[in-house]
Amino acid sequence: MLKLIDVQTCYGNIRSLKGVSLTVAEGEIVSLIGANGAGKTTTLMSISGIVAASSGQIIFNQQRIERTDPDKIVAAGISQVPEGRRIFPGMSVLENLEMGAFLREDSRKTREDMEYVFDLFPILNKRRHQAGGTLSGGEQQMLAISRALMARPKLLLLDEPSLGLSPLLTNQIFEMIKKINTEQHMTIFLVEQNAYMALKLSHRGYVMENGSIILEGKAAALLTDSNVKKAYLGI
């Protein structure tokens, strides 16, 4: 479904991505782990078109998208849940969800998806008229995920979904991510600093260091890799 071929992305004269190549197959959960500043978020931003790749190819469902505007990438079927949630704090929960469906014209299916996210996160239904900025951190993360789902994506990009959450809420969020993948057959590309949780959830994983992929493989194998255990799992 997604293929990056030798992607390089620069901020001015600084190369953040140094020839990244990876794949995400339909139906998979694939994680990208690495230290702060490794280039994980830039990878997602390059896929979304928010930061333009300087060179290389980004291919989504057989179409090159590295020179495509972000709104057209969303329309093609890619939605991103950004780091730090980035909900609209002055808008209600309902209005945030409606913004996620902004590009859609299928009102019946949009209502169905609204009911699905309310079933997935019942607390959002209870708070549907409450301003997003007044929600707890965990509730805001649920809202950010739900807003992305309202675009009915084929590929969901998740950037640090556990950031700032308690272990209990982190477990709940990761359970919901697995449920979305299983029930909706949704392909998920996950960036996450909690390497253990990410790899436990994923089918495959990539390890990034200084803008380059240094290791890849099945998630279960990466969990037992001595270098990964030492550098990212604290073992």
Side-chain angles (χ1 to χ4, degrees):
M1 179 175 281
L2 177 71
K3 181 182 289 187
L4 274 63
I5 303 173
D6 196 26
V7 171
Q8 300 193 45
T9 300
C10 300
Y11 295 101
N13 294 324
I14 300 172
R15 267 199 312 162
S16 182
L17 300 186
K18 304 170 183 176
V20 171
S21 297
L22 57 82
T23 62
V24 180
E26 185 174 354
E28 280 191 311
I29 302 177
V30 176
S31 60
L32 178 63
I33 64 172
N36 274 336
K40 305 186 302 297
T41 292
T42 301
T43 301
L44 294 190
M45 301 283 262
S46 299
I47 295 167
S48 295
I50 298 168
V51 177
S54 307
S55 62
Q57 298 180 25
I58 302 175
I59 303 168
F60 176 64
N61 280 340
Q62 314 303 319
Q63 300 293 320
R64 290 182 63 173
I65 62 169
E66 70 271 7
R67 294 291 180 266
T68 304
D69 292 336
D71 60 313
K72 293 181 174 60
I73 290 175
V74 173
I78 298 178
S79 287
Q80 181 171 341
V81 180
E83 181 182 4
R85 300 155 195 133
R86 305 278 184 95
I87 61 162
F88 301 104
M91 292 184 176
S92 69
V93 167
L94 189 59
E95 288 168 335
N96 269 272
L97 296 176
E98 289 170 344
M99 287 298 291
F102 182 76
L103 294 177
R104 295 178 61 176
E105 297 178 353
D106 50 344
S107 56
R108 183 181 62 81
K109 290 183 179 179
T110 299
R111 288 194 298 271
E112 290 176 359
D113 289 342
M114 185 82 72
E115 292 307 313
Y116 174 75
V117 299
F118 282 150
D119 286 342
L120 194 65
F121 300 114
I123 191 65
L124 296 183
N125 194 14
K126 293 180 180 178
R127 307 204 191 288
R128 62 195 301 161
H129 298 300
Q130 187 171 325
T134 66
L135 302 179
S136 69
E139 291 165 352
Q140 288 188 19
Q141 187 63 68
M142 294 173 192
L143 179 56
I145 293 171
S146 298
R147 181 182 59 187
L149 292 177
M150 287 303 298
R152 190 168 273 206
K154 301 179 180 72
L155 172 65
L156 182 64
L157 308 178
L158 290 167
D159 194 355
E160 303 284 6
S162 74
L163 184 68
L165 301 185
S166 68
L168 178 61
L169 280 172
T170 296
N171 286 332
Q172 290 177 0
I173 291 295
F174 273 75
E175 285 173 7
M176 291 302 102
I177 293 170
K178 183 176 182 179
K179 188 174 182 181
I180 292 164
N181 172 253
T182 303
E183 292 185 349
Q184 300 289 307
H185 309 290
M186 188 168 294
T187 308
I188 297 172
F189 187 34
L190 168 68
V191 160
E192 176 58 54
Q193 272 204 296
N194 188 330
Y196 178 77
M197 291 289 290
L199 293 173
K200 285 284 286 184
L201 180 72
S202 300
H203 300 97
R204 293 188 302 111
Y206 292 87
V207 180
M208 176 170 271
E209 189 174 291
N210 295 324
S212 301
I213 301 295
I214 61 166
L215 196 61
E216 63 179 277
K218 291 186 180 297
L222 291 176
L223 275 170
T224 61
D225 183 276
S226 58
N227 293 321
V228 173
K229 290 165 71 174
K230 182 178 179 180
Y232 303 106
L233 304 181
I235 300 174

